[in-house]
Amino acid sequence: MPVTIPEPQFDELYREIVLDHYRRPRNRGELDDHTARLEGMNPVCGDEIQLDLKIEDGRVAEIAFSGQGCSISQASASMMTEQVKGKTTGEAWHVLEAFERMMKEEAEPTAELGDLEALQGVAKFPVRVKCALLAWKVLEDGLKGAAAAK
Ligand code: ZN
């Protein structure tokens, strides 16, 4: 028997945004000239993310992800790449922290989160928070690695 995982009830607009990113993921694929390639898994749900980063002059010059899993994990990854692409690593940290606050502390979304505000309702479902945070944990590893390489 598959484990039943509670599904957050999104309002219609948010549901559209999440499904749009799931069906038409942004920045999906691999980067031949990545500076870091990282992977993460969420075994509870079976989500997998591979993230390629190209960090140049302290900036997330290119970012691409691939993987498989539930709509929340993949949509969150797609939205994440959109919000951090082109930003400095410091700015990317800010977005990461704002998203973690929204997920873990049910903080109100900030402007820098863009479409990610659609995932606000997920915060009430701890099991699903793991899905939403998967890509961000991988990003966090990548940003830490870039900082260490300086
Ligand atoms: Zn999941």
Side-chain angles (χ1 to χ4, degrees):
M1 283 282 288
V3 181
T4 306
I5 295 175
E7 284 292 339
Q9 295 295 312
F10 293 111
D11 74 34
E12 200 157 324
L13 170 67
Y14 284 176
R15 191 182 150 75
E16 288 290 309
I17 295 171
V18 172
L19 285 178
D20 183 57
H21 277 272
Y22 179 57
R23 290 176 182 145
R24 297 190 307 115
R26 322 301 198 262
N27 304 304
R28 190 174 171 88
E30 298 187 336
L31 301 174
D32 291 334
D33 57 348
H34 58 265
T35 55
R37 171 169 288 174
L38 307 110
E39 288 174 12
M41 275 191 69
N42 171 23
V44 178
C45 183
D47 306 319
E48 296 174 10
I49 294 286
Q50 174 186 289
L51 190 67
D52 281 0
L53 290 170
K54 184 181 180 189
I55 294 179
E56 247 178 7
D57 302 327
R59 201 168 278 276
V60 183
E62 295 286 342
I63 184 168
F65 82 99
S66 54
Q68 55 188 359
C70 69
S71 56
I72 292 172
S73 68
Q74 303 301 307
S76 183
S78 170
M79 297 182 206
M80 180 270 280
T81 61
E82 266 198 328
Q83 291 311 120
V84 305
K85 189 174 179 177
K87 290 201 162 64
T88 66
T89 52
E91 290 165 342
W93 265 115
H94 274 279
V95 181
L96 189 151
E97 286 171 352
F99 187 68
E100 284 192 345
R101 276 197 297 276
M102 186 174 83
M103 284 293 111
K104 293 179 177 170
E105 299 162 27
E106 299 190 36
E108 287 297 310
T110 57
E112 62 195 340
L113 290 178
D115 281 357
L116 286 155
E117 71 171 344
L119 293 174
Q120 191 180 9
V122 174
K124 296 199 186 326
F125 298 83
V127 174
R128 287 299 189 175
V129 166
K130 289 195 171 72
C131 300
L133 284 177
L134 174 61
W136 299 82
K137 292 203 178 310
V138 182
L139 175 68
E140 187 178 343
D141 289 346
L143 293 176
K144 281 181 181 162
K150 267 182 196 164

